[in-house]
Amino acid sequence: MEIVLSGIRSTGHLHLGNYYGALRNFTRMQDEYRCYFFIADLHSLTTHPKPDDFHSGVKAILSEYLAAGLDPEKVSLFVQSSVPEVSELYVLLNMLAYKGELERTASFKEKIRGREENVNAGLLTYPVLMAADILVHRAHKVPVGKDQEQHLEMSRVFARRFNSLYDTNIFPEPQAFNFGTDLVKIPGLDGSGKMGKSEGNGIFLIDDEKTIHKKVMRAVTDSGPTQPNSIMPESIQNIFAIMKVVSTPDTIAYFTDKYNDCSIRYGDLKKQLAEDICKQTNPIRERIETISQDDGYLRYVIEKGTTEARNSAHSTMLEVRKAVGFKSF
Ligand code: TRP
């Protein structure tokens, strides 16, 4: 069976964009592929998070993914730093990664802009660590967004380079993967652009009803249509785009008609949207609360996933070590 692997950043909380974009695909993949999903805590060390906050961030993300539908009986869930084979492969791949190609990586150039005080080697070799994550499980498919495509291309380059230098075919070349469906893009409610953590416009799965209502009621709108059947401005299209994933077709048809005959009241539209979002997120939020307090369950999930991931990584590393020429006396 083909292997799917993806890394999840360990900072922040899941928002509607993550849920309706990436996660719905993850939950479908877990039924059809051998899936490994991990929390990329090593990667987040490039920015030196405080040790005291580190674990709670990892735990929050894990609880949210479980609450949103990842099934630990179907997927291996683990924390990157608990699989030391990743770090070992990272060292070996670093010997095949060239300074020039790493410096040319778009994400590196982007990240160092305006932060000359902490351009550490971990930042430079971020794509090598990501390649180690993927290659250590010999993954075929990696569900990632557009922003990660260059990293994935570099993983293929490192895989090819390793295979050819050591005359082996240990590593398959991992391909980007979105399940053959167009990625659903969830817009923000601030007039334009997508919903995102860094955009500061997220509606989070852990937000309570009051917070969600407040955020939705603040959504940018205009003064309303003055001509029947006029084209919607982007800010209004965005509200309808979110409705499309949380509301019933009847609700959408009702408000579309109201827009088209100019009788729409944006206050009503937003109130309906907020209620429909809450209907979707309330059960998830309740599950997050239950799961995040169930240390025994979280331990079970992580122990199971870590054992599975370490077994897979270990068997790859046996072959890798042999290919490189390491031998015991
Ligand atoms: N770089 C990815 C991101 O920022 C996270 C990540 C780390 C990852 N290692 C990975 C994704 C391996 C896929 C496979 O979102």
Side-chain angles (χ1 to χ4, degrees):
M1 202 193 312
E2 283 199 304
I3 295 169
V4 168
L5 170 135
S6 196
I8 298 152
R9 272 180 265 195
S10 64
T11 45
H13 294 283
L14 284 182
H15 53 66
L16 290 182
N18 302 130
Y19 182 65
Y20 289 103
L23 240 152
R24 279 220 298 213
N25 278 339
F26 281 15
T27 53
R28 282 173 66 193
M29 287 171 202
Q30 68 187 359
D31 290 319
E32 297 179 30
Y33 295 93
R34 177 70 187 90
C35 291
Y36 295 91
F37 294 123
F38 70 95
I39 299 167
D41 62 341
L42 292 176
H43 274 112
S44 67
L45 289 175
T46 53
T47 56
H48 307 162
K50 289 200 183 69
D52 287 346
D53 305 337
F54 203 62
H55 181 72
S56 59
V58 170
K59 186 172 160 183
I61 285 284
L62 176 65
S63 307
E64 290 176 22
Y65 272 86
L66 288 166
L70 287 187
D71 179 350
E73 302 307 326
K74 297 179 185 160
V75 307
S76 301
L77 284 163
F78 61 99
V79 179
Q80 186 184 28
S81 61
S82 306
V83 181
E85 289 83 358
V86 169
S87 301
E88 186 186 0
L89 185 57
Y90 168 63
V91 172
L92 299 179
L93 294 178
N94 265 325
M95 309 306 168
L96 309 181
Y98 299 114
K99 175 172 167 277
E101 67 190 337
L102 295 174
E103 279 172 346
R104 280 193 301 276
T105 314
S107 63
F108 177 68
K109 289 197 277 194
E110 163 83 19
K111 275 180 194 145
I112 64 173
R113 205 172 298 138
R115 76 158 216 234
E116 273 68 24
E117 76 291 352
N118 180 23
V119 183
N120 55 59
L123 217 46
L124 182 67
T125 58
Y126 186 106
V128 187
L129 182 55
M130 182 158 160
D133 292 327
I134 298 167
L135 299 180
V136 87
H137 297 294
R138 289 178 274 190
H140 304 95
K141 291 183 154 63
V142 183
V144 285
K146 252 210 137 21
D147 60 324
Q148 300 294 317
E149 265 171 7
Q150 189 182 24
H151 290 158
L152 215 56
E153 173 57 27
M154 294 173 81
S155 298
R156 285 192 286 276
V157 168
F158 301 143
R160 269 200 298 275
R161 213 175 272 164
F162 186 98
N163 285 348
S164 109
L165 179 66
Y166 294 111
D167 193 22
T168 148
N169 55 10
I170 294 177
F171 297 125
E173 290 184 25
Q175 307 297 327
F177 180 47
N178 64 20
F179 223 67
T181 51
D182 286 337
L183 291 182
V184 186
K185 259 201 220 94
I186 302 296
L189 288 175
D190 38 8
S192 67
K194 62 165 193 168
M195 184 177 290
K197 249 178 324 219
S198 31
E199 285 75 6
N201 60 5
I203 295 177
F204 296 100
L205 298 181
I206 48 154
D207 284 343
D208 58 21
E209 293 207 13
K210 212 170 129 206
T211 311
I212 289 176
H213 275 270
K214 223 164 56 201
K215 286 181 176 176
V216 173
M217 295 318 280
R218 271 206 312 256
V220 173
T221 50
D222 64 356
S223 50
T226 49
Q227 305 265 353
N229 300 313
S230 54
I231 295 173
M232 283 184 197
E234 194 181 349
S235 58
I236 307 303
Q237 280 181 34
N238 288 348
I239 295 181
F240 276 92
I242 300 183
M243 274 199 145
K244 228 171 149 170
V245 295
V246 295
S247 306
T248 63
D250 285 353
T251 303
I252 296 165
Y254 172 83
F255 283 103
T256 308
D257 288 348
K258 293 237 154 205
Y259 184 87
N260 286 335
D261 69 15
C262 303
S263 66
I264 194 161
R265 287 181 14 198
Y266 289 143
D268 296 344
L269 176 72
K270 292 181 187 178
K271 195 160 159 278
Q272 180 74 45
L273 176 64
E275 279 169 20
D276 291 344
I277 291 174
C278 290
K279 235 182 259 160
Q280 302 287 328
T281 57
N282 280 345
I284 303 175
R285 192 186 63 249
E286 283 162 19
R287 281 200 298 274
I288 295 172
E289 279 162 18
T290 314
I291 291 173
S292 63
Q293 285 164 28
D294 192 345
D295 286 337
Y297 177 65
L298 292 175
R299 193 175 316 118
Y300 162 76
V301 170
I302 283 296
E303 278 176 4
K304 177 175 183 289
T306 307
T307 305
E308 290 159 352
R310 286 208 64 185
N311 284 340
S312 148
H314 180 71
S315 77
T316 302
M317 288 315 290
L318 284 179
E319 291 187 40
V320 165
R321 290 179 133 260
K322 200 165 138 216
V324 170
F326 295 148
K327 261 191 199 156
S328 51
F329 282 87

